Amino acid sequence: MHADHFSVTRVMIDGGREICVRLAGDLDADARTVLRRELYDAVHDNGAPLLVVDLQETAFVGSETIGALLDGLVRAQEAGKAVQIVNARGVVRTVLQVTGVLDLFGATAESSARLAAFDGGAVLPLPPAPALPAHWGRAAG
C-alpha cells in the first residue's frame, strides 16, 4: 500500500520461511490502519514461521505506528511466529529504543544483512483476509 508519504509492502523471503513487511517514509497517524492490516495479513495468511519488519527506508515513526507494531507483535506471538525488526536507523532506532519497543523484537546483524542483500521480490497479492477485530479500528482513549 502506498500513500503520498509512506508505503507498506509485504514480500516473502527465503523460500517462504519469512514474511517481510517493509515500511518506508513517514509512518504517522495516516499509516496506522494500513500498517495494522498488513501486519494482520502477514501473520494470518501464510505459514512462514518468521515475521520481519524492515525499517531500512523509514524516516519517521509516530506513536500510532508504534502501537500498530506492538499489536502486530502480539498477534504474531499468538500465532506462534517469531518476530524481528531490522534496519532501524537514526531517529527511528532511537525512538524504538527509548520506548522499549526494540527490546521486544529480536534484531540480529545477520537478518539485517540478509535483508539488505535481498534485491526485492514479487509483492504478495493481498488475498481476502478475515475481518479485523472491531477494537483494531477504534482510537484509544
Side-chain angles (χ1 to χ4, degrees):
M1 167 61 88
H2 295 273
D4 291 339
H5 57 285
F6 72 89
S7 68
V8 179
T9 307
R10 267 186 301 144
V11 295
M12 293 298 292
I13 296 177
D14 200 16
R17 290 185 293 250
E18 297 178 21
I19 181 86
C20 178
V21 177
R22 290 194 168 128
L23 311 180
D26 296 327
L27 286 111
D28 55 13
D30 295 339
R32 178 184 58 208
T33 302
V34 172
L35 180 55
R36 282 187 175 172
R37 166 58 71 187
E38 288 297 327
L39 289 171
Y40 184 89
D41 290 350
V43 168
H44 295 289
D45 67 359
N46 66 82
L50 176 61
L51 169 63
V52 176
V53 178
D54 186 355
L55 301 174
Q56 183 169 350
E57 301 294 323
T58 304
F60 171 82
V61 291
S63 59
E64 296 86 357
T65 302
I66 292 170
L69 288 171
L70 292 172
D71 283 345
L73 170 68
V74 169
R75 303 291 178 239
Q77 289 175 337
E78 288 173 349
K81 293 183 189 288
V83 184
Q84 293 181 345
I85 286 182
V86 297
N87 298 323
R89 295 183 170 90
V91 70
V92 171
R93 183 174 189 82
T94 300
V95 167
L96 295 177
Q97 283 177 321
V98 168
T99 59
V101 172
L102 207 53
D103 292 336
L104 296 174
F105 291 82
T108 66
E110 176 186 281
S111 62
S112 292
R114 187 175 64 252
L115 282 171
F118 181 72
D119 64 359
V123 174
L124 293 176
L126 298 178
L132 287 174
H135 71 277
W136 276 40
R138 282 189 244 140

